[in-house]
Amino acid sequence: METQIGNIHLLSPFMNASGVYCKSKEQLIKLDNTQLVGCVVSKSCTFEPRDGNPEPIYWDDGSNLSINSSGLPNMGYKFYINKNITSQINKPYIVSVSGLTVKDNLTIIDELLKNLDISGLELNLSCPNVIGKPQIGYDFEAMDKLLYQANLLVQNRKLSDKKFNFGLKLPPYFDMSHFDIVSSIINKYEIDTITCINSLGNGLVVDPKSETVVIKPKGGFGGIGGSVVKQIALANVRRLSQLTKCDVIGCGGIKTGTDAFEHILCGAKAVQIGTQFYIEKHEVFERIYNELLDIMSEKGYKSLNDFCGKLKVIN
Ligand code: RRO
């Protein structure tokens, strides 16, 4: 079950999706101490600490459908790279970055690169929930400009230490031409990993009984997660692992070992769990790990590489 994502070696392919139980010091340490979590990912951070949007910001149906409009509540980037935290985490540790401006993103990345205690960063280009801030992953020109500048910083660091992992978190794409455009931008830079996909932005859950929305911010609109996004996630994992040189981390609709198996078959080298982690808490990792192990042994697969990216097509 070992795997490699960019420069990071993982003993288990499972990790938390950024945002779920990973904002506070206690939550990060708990993730580090959770069996079969291969890597700890922080809540996306901004330059300054933020409270996020007014509650209620999250809803799920208890099964596997979720909507959130958290609005980036976080402790500020300094918190996530402080020795106070990093010295307590023994597994690979990825800090998710979601600055509110280009300048903030570059400042945070620069500071992260100087920190030898973290394994890498996941630059979040796909937060759907900050009022007045469109998802940069859908603005190809802005994305290219940001990655150009971030890449300069990362290249400098790589001269002295090759181990830092530069990753991106992308929104879902729905058009073949968009896969082509995004991958041609990504391939210009030294990006090690891409996480596909963030929540499906600006969906709406309606409660027919009370005739209301289920979360408060933005009139009820928010990022959709869970089984309903799985097929979109699989398509993004598949296409972007074919078109880029990056290792892809699959995220979206993973509730069972079969879901994880499908992500890996489509090309994911590792997977993140969001909605189901929220619902089932930390026990989810061991359960899904064992389910995946059972599928592998039934099929006679000894390692993830035996089936990673080997989805068959119909000729
Ligand atoms: O904090 C959020 O509202 C949030 C973020 Br940054 C994100 O990347 N994805 C999401 O569904 N919510």
Side-chain angles (χ1 to χ4, degrees), residues 73-224:
N74 77 93
M75 318 293 274
Y77 83 94
K78 287 183 183 146
F79 174 89
Y80 296 100
I81 59 172
N82 193 288
K83 267 262 182 270
N84 191 14
I85 301 266
T86 57
S87 66
Q88 308 277 316
I89 299 178
N90 299 305
K91 289 177 179 164
Y93 173 46
I94 293 176
V95 176
S96 172
V97 176
S98 193
L100 295 178
T101 62
V102 170
K103 185 164 167 266
D104 282 1
N105 274 319
L106 294 174
T107 308
I108 299 170
I109 292 171
D110 203 26
E111 289 299 318
L112 260 56
L113 286 164
K114 288 183 206 149
N115 190 305
L116 296 174
D117 297 329
I118 61 173
S119 312
L121 67 90
E122 184 180 86
L123 179 60
N124 184 353
L125 301 178
S126 46
C127 174
N129 298 331
V130 178
I131 294 153
K133 299 275 174 195
Q135 293 165 81
I136 199 164
Y138 288 140
D139 180 341
F140 297 123
E141 211 180 306
M143 177 175 164
D144 195 4
K145 279 190 183 151
L146 173 60
L147 292 183
Y148 174 82
Q149 303 209 62
N151 190 58
L152 290 178
L153 300 174
V154 174
Q155 270 179 331
N156 279 341
R157 156 70 192 267
K158 282 199 167 162
L159 295 177
S160 55
D161 182 341
K162 284 205 153 45
K163 287 252 150 70
F164 195 88
N165 198 78
F166 181 26
L168 306 178
K169 174 110 172 231
L170 298 175
Y173 297 102
F174 304 92
D175 195 288
M176 285 304 196
S177 71
H178 290 171
F179 291 133
D180 291 337
I181 295 168
V182 164
S183 55
S184 70
I185 294 170
I186 289 171
N187 284 336
K188 291 200 278 182
Y189 307 115
E190 290 181 39
I191 293 156
D192 304 298
T193 55
I194 49 179
T195 304
C196 304
I197 56 174
N198 207 321
S199 60
L200 209 146
N202 298 298
L204 192 60
V205 172
V206 172
D207 177 4
K209 207 165 156 204
S210 61
E211 303 175 14
T212 60
V213 296
V214 297
I215 54 171
K216 180 170 179 182
K218 288 170 71 179
F221 290 83
I224 305 290

Side-chain angles (χ1 to χ4, degrees), residues 43-44 68-73 124 127-129 198-199:
K43 171 66 189 167
S44 292
N68 88 86
S69 181
S70 312
L72 263 171
N124 184 353
C127 174
N129 298 331
N198 207 321
S199 60

